[in-house]
Amino acid sequence: MGKKIKKEAEPPPKDVFDPLTIESKKAATVVLMLNSPEEEILAKACEAIYRFALKGEENKATLLELGAVEPLTKLLTHEDKIVRRNATMIFGILASNNDVKKLLRELDVMHSVIAQLAPEEEVVIHEFASLCLANMSAEYTSKVQIFEHGGLEPLIRLLSSPDPDVKKNSIECIYNLVQDFQCRATLHELNAIPPILDLLKSEYPIIQLLALKTLGVVTYDKESRTMLRENQGVDQLIKILETKEWNDLHVEALSVVANCLEDMDTMVLIQQTGGLKKLLSFAENSTIPDIQKNAAKAISKAASDSENRKLFHEQEVEKCLVALLGSESDGTKIAASQAISAMSENAGSKEFFNNQGIPQLIQLLKSDNEEVREAAALALANLTTCNPANANAAAEADGIEPLINILSSKRDGAVANAATVLTNMAMQEPLRVNIQSHDIMHALIGPLHSANTVVQSKAALTVAATACDAEAQTELRNAGGLEPLVELLRSKNDEVRKNASWAVMVCANEELMAVELCKLGALDILEEINLSVSRKNKFSEAAHNKLLNNHLSLKYSQTGYLSSSNIISDGFYDYGRINPGTKLPPLKDLAFQEPSDLRAILLVNSKSSEVSPPASMEDKSSDVGYGRSISSSSSLRRASKEKTNAAFGSPTEEKSEPASGRNTALGKGTAKEKASRKGRGKKEEEKVKEEEEVLAVPKLPGEGNYDKEWYPPADSDFCVYVYEVTKSILPITNIKEQIEVLAKYVAEKMGGKIPKEKLHDFGWELHISELKYQLKSNVVPIGQIKKGTFYHRALLFKPPF
């Protein structure tokens, strides 16, 4: 037998790699393993990367730098379930990093992530896929991608998941998505309200909070409010508010209720079930500022509807709002003021706030918080509009001074609101006088210069309401308010232009202001506006007419016409016709020019050049208007009306003459008449006559300094004409006869009746030239003209005798 030979073991196949266990402490090495074709290696590499990413933001950034994101995206669709699960878990964590989010958007992996939300996938994949989407949906571009890839429907389905993390991630993602209108519309179509309402019953506060936040957004839409009401959502919201243990949810719950109250049917439902009274009591008695604020906001939103205001008034919401004004929280004060503004549309509420509410709002005007002051001013503006009683209440609560102080606020809304309240107050004369005493004109200068059109409009309206008398208008002019007011006429805003025109019309009611406004270009701007069909308005037309009617010298030069209602006063001058847009030179400038071949400027003036101006007219303006007192001719006209009813030459008539208020040759004429009746001698009559002649010699324009106080040259002859006409012609009761007698009188004073064939011998031109060179001026007083043609006679016929 042969020797037993030992059998040798077979060597391993040459083409098989022996198993190798690798332990790597380098993230870069593990990232390289992501490209392995082996499921086991991929699964373990993903598991290691997940644990690494969990440790912090720096590790997430490291993985991004190592290029881990791109190979991981390919693993989201891997055939092996474990690999796919681990890759999804990684993205759930990595997606909180902003740079990773950006890269994921570029790689367009949203479809792959949303695919992991399929019902057949296990819960852990649902959890991390929804977490990834929740992180991604914080940015607009990602929201669009999620919506376009149909992510909303599977997210809504997952709201019913048994896993709380899946619910939390899903509702958070939905909350981010519904910020977009299109997503909200789709949410309604997918019947999402019931599952969201179910989340309110969750034992996890974060899920309840996110559900309320989502409802707070989606209930902006009426369809969602209807669905919420039909699914008993209102009852759930009221229950949350009644549960003290859920006070961390009350603020958000109130936000949803605020939206629901905008819907009339929901409002009625809440009112019928007693929820409205509970809500008001809850708001009034709560000690949490945010809850009070949101409750007031809820009332404010709901009060935009008239029926809701009625229901609120029946529930005495005003008491709740007045109580909230006393809160220590500025946010609550603002919200309560805004709610009062909304409720002020209700007449009953307006009346309630007359005694309670307005005094508290006045106190808020003094707050250091600009927003509080603005909201309080808004409430007062609404309460005082078309309500004199509330305007009085605001004034009695010492509201005028703080309102005027707010006109210098940096917040445009506050300024506009304060101006509105002051305008409402100024509708009553006693209050207007009170406002004027607080230097309102200086306070309005800033708002008139504002760049905000609402402020400009309200400020101009306040000027129109307060600058109703000569003293206030003078203050406005001295404060520099006319320039910005005139500039507002150029505004492209219709409301600003209208209110500025209104203010100019009010200010132009006084002649001196009308002249000043014309100097600033108001008339030119208004002419331009009125030529435009789209820009003109009734006030611009009225302002233009008012300016011309109170600057008759300009009107006569522009139109060549004065109506019967246009009362000529001292200082009127006929310069001759000028073209539209041409400036009318001031009388003072014309008076200081040397005589020339130009047409004579005809002056109507019954005042002596020696007369001192009244104290209220001490302004040294270069224009003639500011060197004169109130019109003597106007005084004559008023006096003549009184005399018309008296017998000619009666004692009453004699006594009334000196009361005309003029220290002129007319007064001397009256004295002379009295002296002759008392049997004074011829010498005394001659003495009086000499005095008249002295007064008749005007002060030469060239004499004295131009800068000194200047008055138009006196015209004693014209004073005599006024006196004679007042005595003998005005008492005639028959208008036709009065006109005829006056016309004959004028003709007699201007050279008498001249036949047409002898006009060339009349020599009126030479006479006027002689007067110009005698006076050393182109300005000729009308009374000194003894030979006058048609336009001289027409002007002499016009004054209000």
Side-chain angles (χ1 to χ4, degrees):
M1 290 184 65
K3 190 176 179 180
K4 204 174 205 181
I5 301 170
K6 186 178 179 181
K7 189 177 181 180
E8 293 181 1
E10 293 184 10
K14 294 180 179 181
D15 59 343
V16 175
F17 186 82
D18 294 335
L20 178 67
T21 302
I22 298 176
E23 288 188 10
S24 176
K25 295 184 179 180
K26 299 279 186 182
T29 305
V30 181
V31 169
L32 291 174
M33 293 168 64
L34 294 174
N35 294 308
S36 171
E38 296 185 50
E39 289 86 352
E40 187 178 354
I41 292 176
L42 290 174
K44 289 183 176 180
C46 285
E47 186 178 350
I49 289 173
Y50 169 74
R51 290 196 302 268
F52 181 70
L54 273 177
K55 294 179 180 179
E57 288 298 317
E58 290 184 4
N59 291 357
K60 296 173 187 176
T62 300
L63 290 170
L64 180 64
E65 291 173 5
L66 293 173
V69 174
E70 192 166 357
L72 280 170
T73 58
K74 297 173 183 177
L75 301 184
L76 286 172
T77 55
H78 200 278
E79 293 178 356
D80 186 81
K81 198 169 187 177
I82 296 175
V83 173
R84 194 167 67 250
R85 181 193 67 192
N86 290 352
T88 303
M89 291 172 65
I90 294 172
F91 279 118
I93 302 301
L94 284 182
S96 64
N97 182 280
N98 290 329
D99 293 327
V100 173
K101 288 180 190 175
K102 183 179 179 181
L103 181 57
L104 288 177
R105 284 197 300 272
E106 293 172 358
L107 295 172
D108 196 18
V109 297
M110 212 62 73
H111 179 74
S112 300
V113 176
I114 292 171
Q116 308 309 309
L117 303 180
E120 61 272 14
E121 295 290 353
E122 56 184 296
V123 170
V124 68
I125 290 181
H126 286 168
E127 177 186 345
F128 285 97
S130 59
L131 178 61
C132 176
L133 293 175
N135 285 327
M136 292 290 291
S137 64
E139 295 178 356
Y140 177 75
T141 308
S142 297
K143 288 181 194 176
V144 174
Q145 289 183 349
I146 294 171
F147 179 75
E148 289 179 348
H149 285 91
L152 197 54
E153 185 174 4
L155 285 168
I156 291 171
R157 187 179 63 250
L158 290 179
L159 294 178
S160 303
S161 169
D163 186 86
D165 287 321
V166 174
K167 289 180 178 180
K168 182 262 179 188
N169 296 337
S170 299
I171 190 62
E172 183 177 358
C173 186
I174 291 171
Y175 169 68
N176 290 334
L177 290 175
V178 295
Q179 306 298 321
D180 180 71
F181 172 77
Q182 193 174 5
C183 288
R184 289 203 299 273
T186 305
L187 191 81
H188 171 68
E189 294 171 5
L190 295 172
N191 196 30
I193 298 298
I196 294 176
L197 285 173
D198 284 341
L199 296 183
L200 296 179
K201 303 170 186 176
S202 171
E203 59 182 304
Y204 298 96
I206 184 61
I207 294 176
Q208 291 177 304
L209 186 63
L210 285 168
L212 285 171
K213 280 177 173 285
T214 305
L215 289 172
V217 176
V218 299
T219 50
Y220 284 136
D221 302 324
K222 186 175 182 179
E223 293 81 3
S224 295
R225 292 198 295 268
T226 302
M227 189 172 287
L228 183 140
R229 184 179 69 250
E230 292 173 351
N231 285 275
Q232 289 74 49
V234 174
D235 293 339
Q236 287 184 253
L237 293 169
I238 297 297
K239 184 178 179 181
I240 289 173
L241 292 175
E242 290 178 324
T243 307
K244 292 182 179 180
E245 292 77 15
W246 291 348
N247 58 11
D248 56 328
L249 303 176
H250 288 171
V251 173
E252 297 301 335
L254 278 169
S255 294
V256 183
V257 171
N259 292 339
C260 292
L261 290 177
E262 291 186 55
D263 185 70
M264 187 59 199
D265 292 334
T266 308
M267 176 75 167
V268 171
L269 176 64
I270 294 175
Q271 196 264 345
Q272 288 175 346
T273 57
L276 191 57
K277 186 166 281 188
K278 291 177 184 177
L279 174 66
L280 297 179
S281 175
F282 176 75
E284 191 172 349
N285 298 323
S286 175
T287 56
I288 301 173
D290 281 346
I291 290 176
Q292 292 181 322
K293 178 179 72 175
N294 279 25
K297 282 184 176 179
I299 295 167
S300 183
K301 279 187 177 182
S304 60
D305 181 86
S306 59
E307 291 299 319
N308 287 352
R309 289 195 295 270
K310 186 178 177 182
L311 288 174
F312 274 135
H313 180 60
E314 291 172 358
Q315 296 292 328
E316 297 183 325
V317 70
E318 297 87 356
K319 291 182 180 179
C320 171
L321 294 176
V322 171
L324 293 180
L325 288 178
S327 169
E328 294 182 3
S329 164
D330 285 344
T332 302
K333 292 173 184 175
I334 293 167
S337 298
Q338 290 169 341
I340 290 174
S341 299
M343 284 301 300
S344 65
E345 294 293 322
N346 180 279
S349 297
K350 240 178 187 177
E351 185 177 346
F352 177 91
F353 290 123
N354 182 271
N355 296 319
Q356 301 180 55
I358 287 181
Q360 289 88 335
L361 289 168
I362 295 297
Q363 290 304 310
L364 294 186
L365 293 178
K366 304 170 186 176
S367 170
D368 294 333
N369 187 311
E370 291 274 9
E371 289 185 58
V372 172
R373 296 165 69 189
E374 179 179 349
L378 175 63
L380 288 167
N382 290 341
L383 287 171
T384 56
T385 297
C386 300
N387 195 304
N390 283 351
N392 267 317
E396 289 171 3
D398 297 325
I400 292 176
E401 186 173 349
L403 283 166
I404 290 178
N405 290 338
I406 288 177
L407 293 179
S408 59
S409 170
K410 294 179 181 179
R411 291 183 71 87
D412 290 335
V415 176
N417 295 336
T420 301
V421 182
L422 291 167
T423 301
N424 294 340
M425 287 180 170
M427 296 297 103
Q428 302 173 65
E429 187 175 356
L431 299 187
R432 182 171 67 248
V433 172
N434 195 348
I435 291 169
Q436 289 171 342
S437 69
H438 284 79
D439 203 14
I440 179 68
M441 297 308 164
H442 279 88
L444 285 170
I445 303 303
L448 287 174
H449 281 287
S450 172
N452 184 290
T453 54
V454 176
V455 174
Q456 292 172 350
S457 174
K458 300 299 183 184
L461 201 57
T462 307
V463 170
T466 55
C468 298
D469 54 67
E471 187 176 350
Q473 290 167 5
T474 302
E475 286 181 12
L476 179 66
R477 176 171 58 83
N478 293 341
L482 295 186
E483 291 85 348
L485 184 61
V486 170
E487 195 59 33
L488 291 183
L489 292 173
R490 303 180 190 274
S491 175
K492 295 180 180 179
N493 182 281
D494 292 343
E495 196 68 17
V496 173
R497 205 165 51 249
K498 184 192 81 172
N499 290 346
S501 298
W502 190 349
V504 167
M505 182 185 72
V506 170
C507 291
N509 200 44
E510 205 276 322
E511 182 182 359
L512 305 183
M513 290 288 284
V515 172
E516 183 69 13
L517 287 165
C518 288
K519 286 170 62 179
L520 293 170
L523 194 66
D524 299 336
I525 299 170
L526 288 167
E527 283 177 351
E528 182 188 342
I529 290 172
N530 292 334
L531 288 173
S532 168
V533 176
S534 61
R535 297 178 65 212
K536 73 176 180 179
N537 55 72
K538 290 181 179 179
F539 289 102
S540 66
E541 293 173 339
H544 179 268
N545 293 334
K546 182 73 76 172
L547 280 173
L548 279 183
N549 288 332
N550 282 295
H551 192 352
L552 295 182
S553 298
L554 178 60
K555 179 177 182 179
Y556 195 47
S557 292
Q558 281 196 354
T559 66
Y561 169 80
L562 294 179
S563 69
S564 58
S565 61
N566 294 145
I567 308 303
I568 288 178
S569 59
D570 293 326
F572 173 89
Y573 58 105
D574 175 13
Y575 178 76
R577 291 300 295 270
I578 60 175
N579 295 323
T582 305
K583 299 288 184 182
L584 177 67
L587 179 60
K588 181 178 178 181
D589 293 351
L590 296 170
F592 277 86
Q593 291 176 0
E594 292 295 323
S596 67
D597 295 333
L598 297 175
R599 176 189 183 281
I601 294 106
L602 306 181
L603 171 66
V604 177
N605 183 40
S606 64
K607 289 194 65 65
S608 167
S609 58
E610 302 279 345
V611 177
S612 299
S616 63
M617 299 293 182
E618 288 179 357
D619 186 272
K620 308 294 183 184
S621 171
S622 63
D623 190 89
V624 61
Y626 300 119
R628 292 186 285 107
S629 63
I630 299 171
S631 165
S632 300
S633 299
S634 299
S635 302
L636 274 170
R637 190 169 195 263
R638 288 193 297 271
S640 66
K641 285 183 179 178
E642 297 170 4
K643 294 170 193 170
T644 303
N645 298 323
F648 182 79
S650 68
T652 306
E653 185 180 354
E654 285 185 326
K655 290 178 182 177
S656 67
E657 284 306 315
S660 64
R662 293 185 289 109
N663 182 16
T664 65
L666 177 57
K668 293 289 184 181
T670 308
K672 175 181 159 185
E673 190 76 11
K674 289 182 180 179
S676 65
R677 290 178 194 167
K678 292 183 179 180
R680 289 188 177 179
K682 186 177 180 181
K683 289 183 179 179
E684 187 156 349
E685 288 185 18
E686 290 174 351
K687 183 179 178 183
V688 173
K689 187 175 181 180
E690 288 173 1
E691 290 176 357
E692 288 180 355
E693 290 173 351
V694 171
L695 286 170
V697 179
K699 195 172 285 185
L700 296 179
E703 296 177 6
N705 194 319
Y706 180 91
D707 294 328
K708 290 183 178 180
E709 191 72 33
W710 180 87
Y711 304 103
D715 190 352
S716 59
D717 287 339
F718 179 66
C719 292
V720 173
Y721 296 168
V722 172
Y723 173 69
E724 290 178 351
V725 169
T726 303
K727 293 284 284 183
S728 60
I729 296 176
L730 281 183
I732 298 172
T733 55
N734 185 285
I735 297 297
K736 183 179 178 182
E737 183 182 350
Q738 189 183 59
I739 291 171
E740 290 176 352
V741 174
L742 180 58
K744 289 177 182 178
Y745 179 89
V746 169
E748 179 188 343
K749 298 302 180 183
M750 288 286 184
K753 183 177 180 181
I754 310 297
K756 286 184 179 181
E757 61 272 12
K758 292 187 178 182
L759 276 176
H760 61 281
D761 295 328
F762 186 37
W764 65 271
E765 296 99 329
L766 179 60
H767 172 63
I768 299 296
S769 297
E770 289 173 349
L771 284 175
K772 285 164 46 176
Y773 281 94
Q774 179 187 341
L775 296 168
K776 298 182 181 179
S777 173
N778 284 326
V779 177
V780 178
I782 191 73
Q784 296 192 32
I785 299 174
K786 307 307 177 188
K787 291 183 179 182
T789 186
F790 65 94
Y791 66 86
H792 303 106
R793 298 184 184 204
L795 182 57
L796 184 60
F797 185 87
K798 171 62 182 170
F801 296 115

